[in-house]
Amino acid sequence: MIVSILAPFAFGLTFFLFGMYAMRSGFQNLAGKKMEEWMGRFTRTPLHSFWVGLLATFVLQSSSAVTVLTIGLTNAGIIQFTQTVGIILGTNLGTTVTTELVALKLESFAIPMLLIGVALWLMPRRNIRCIGLVVAGFGLIFLGIDTLKVMAKPLEQSETFRSLFLESSHSIWIGLITGIIFTALIHSGSATTVITMGLLSHQILSMETALAIVLGANVGTCFTAVIAAIGTNTASKQVAWCHTLFNVAGAIIFLPFLSQLALVSAFLTDSPSMQIAHSQTIFNLVCSLVALPFVPQIARFIQWLIPDKRRPTDLTIRKKMVSSRWK
């Protein structure tokens, strides 16, 4: 029983994460060199920052990667912290694109896409090779999803696993914490969401528990950014904690309304996987649109919460320099 669960889980997760990496590498080689330039030039207003965050997350296929890149640019002084709040709001919505694509159930195209991608990658032209990586990446992602589905059948028959999730269904907080911890361990909110879709489709999870896990996955993606901010300047730490606090606040606010969110997604589609994808999109869209008009206030709050301790020192040095000149 354990082997029949762990083997497809390990292979499926490996295929999925490697596919995400291949697709990200292909996109990054196509547009990655200009990404820093775009993020530096087109983040002057919160709305522009929002669209940059959304598009960058779609290109890099990882909100964590975009947040880490943003931390690097802030640490280098290329962009200011106030410009990054809109980017963070955009990254949260950008992650839903992958989830929506995954929910379309394109697993039957996995092998053809993988073969086409490999064939394109063997071509001499660089751009075609990069496109091949993207196509092969999608193929590996769908292959990973198909492999993870094998894991669901033995889980469905396991009384221990069923009783465990029956208990967790009584407390959505357990689902939230499960999503946070699992995503922090594997560094992929998309992978957590895909596994949750598979369990939900086999009726191992209730919809409320599945949605709680997805909300937890949104919080768990912040773990990478917090680690990346260690040893950086104050502005970079502000970026990491702004992302974390925003996702935590959104999850806590939405947690009491999971039943209503489930009803809305059920109205939109009958497919459990699409319901998860639509719920995640609705959650991130509402959070981002509500917060977007208040970007300056959010930035000031984060700056108050994590103050730049070096600023007073710099001011005192300048005052001393000015006073010494007058003397």
Side-chain angles (χ1 to χ4, degrees):
M1 176 68 76
I2 295 174
V3 175
S4 62
I5 293 171
L6 289 180
F9 175 77
F11 282 114
L13 189 61
T14 302
F15 288 146
F16 186 91
L17 294 178
F18 189 65
M20 291 283 284
Y21 175 76
M23 188 166 52
R24 188 184 311 151
S25 298
F27 272 129
Q28 203 165 7
N29 283 316
L30 285 170
K33 291 181 179 179
K34 296 181 180 178
M35 190 64 65
E36 290 186 17
E37 183 186 342
W38 291 344
M39 291 180 75
R41 286 178 59 190
F42 301 111
T43 55
R44 294 176 185 175
T45 68
L47 188 60
H48 288 164
S49 299
F50 174 80
W51 284 110
V52 166
L54 194 155
L55 293 171
T57 304
F58 174 69
V59 169
L60 297 181
Q61 290 297 307
S62 170
S63 61
S64 299
V66 176
T67 307
V68 169
L69 177 59
T70 305
I71 288 169
L73 294 174
T74 309
N75 193 46
I78 296 172
I79 56 177
Q80 302 299 313
F81 166 68
T82 51
Q83 297 171 267
T84 66
V85 180
I87 295 173
I88 291 165
L89 300 181
T91 59
N92 284 343
L93 190 59
T95 55
T96 63
V97 177
T98 305
T99 309
E100 292 284 356
L101 288 172
V102 164
L104 291 174
K105 295 184 178 179
L106 302 173
E107 290 88 344
S108 56
F109 296 101
I111 301 300
M113 289 180 80
L114 186 58
L115 293 174
I116 291 168
V118 171
L120 291 174
W121 188 74
L122 294 172
M123 296 293 176
R125 292 186 62 180
R126 181 179 173 276
N127 286 346
I128 295 176
R129 286 166 63 90
C130 293
I131 293 169
L133 267 179
V134 173
V135 175
F138 266 115
L140 281 170
I141 286 171
F142 295 133
L143 185 63
I145 294 166
D146 211 27
T147 309
L148 285 168
K149 282 183 177 179
V150 179
M151 172 193 70
K153 289 184 179 179
L155 282 177
E156 191 179 11
Q157 296 167 359
S158 171
E159 289 299 325
T160 306
F161 195 83
R162 273 187 170 278
S163 61
L164 177 67
F165 273 97
L166 189 64
E167 287 298 319
S168 67
S169 64
H170 297 304
S171 174
I172 51 177
W173 288 98
I174 295 175
L176 182 75
I177 293 166
T178 301
I180 293 170
I181 294 172
F182 191 73
T183 303
L185 288 172
I186 65 173
H187 297 281
S188 176
S190 297
T192 303
T193 305
V194 166
I195 293 168
T196 306
M197 284 177 177
L199 296 174
L200 181 65
S201 63
H202 283 78
Q203 298 177 345
I204 295 172
L205 295 176
S206 66
M207 177 58 76
E208 285 77 10
T209 306
L211 292 179
I213 293 171
V214 171
L215 293 188
N218 270 28
V219 178
T221 55
C222 305
F223 184 72
T224 308
V226 172
I227 292 174
I230 295 172
T232 57
N233 60 19
T234 304
S236 300
K237 290 182 175 69
Q238 288 169 345
V239 173
W241 284 106
C242 179
H243 190 204
T244 304
L245 293 174
F246 178 77
N247 282 10
V248 169
I252 291 172
I253 291 168
F254 259 82
L255 210 57
F257 305 103
L258 291 184
S259 298
Q260 290 81 353
L261 186 60
L263 286 173
V264 172
S265 60
F267 175 76
L268 295 172
T269 178
D270 295 328
S271 167
S273 297
M274 291 300 291
Q275 287 174 15
I276 289 286
H278 291 344
S279 296
Q280 188 188 32
T281 302
I282 291 167
F283 164 72
N284 284 301
L285 184 63
V286 170
C287 289
S288 296
L289 292 181
V290 168
L292 200 57
F294 304 101
V295 165
Q297 290 84 351
I298 293 170
R300 282 197 293 270
F301 172 73
I302 296 296
Q303 286 172 329
W304 170 79
L305 196 66
I306 309 168
D308 192 345
K309 296 177 181 178
R310 293 179 299 176
R311 282 183 181 177
T313 309
D314 293 340
L315 288 172
T316 52
I317 291 170
R318 287 178 184 176
K319 285 179 181 178
K320 287 180 181 179
M321 290 175 68
V322 171
S323 60
S324 63
R325 282 178 186 175
W326 280 103
K327 288 178 181 178

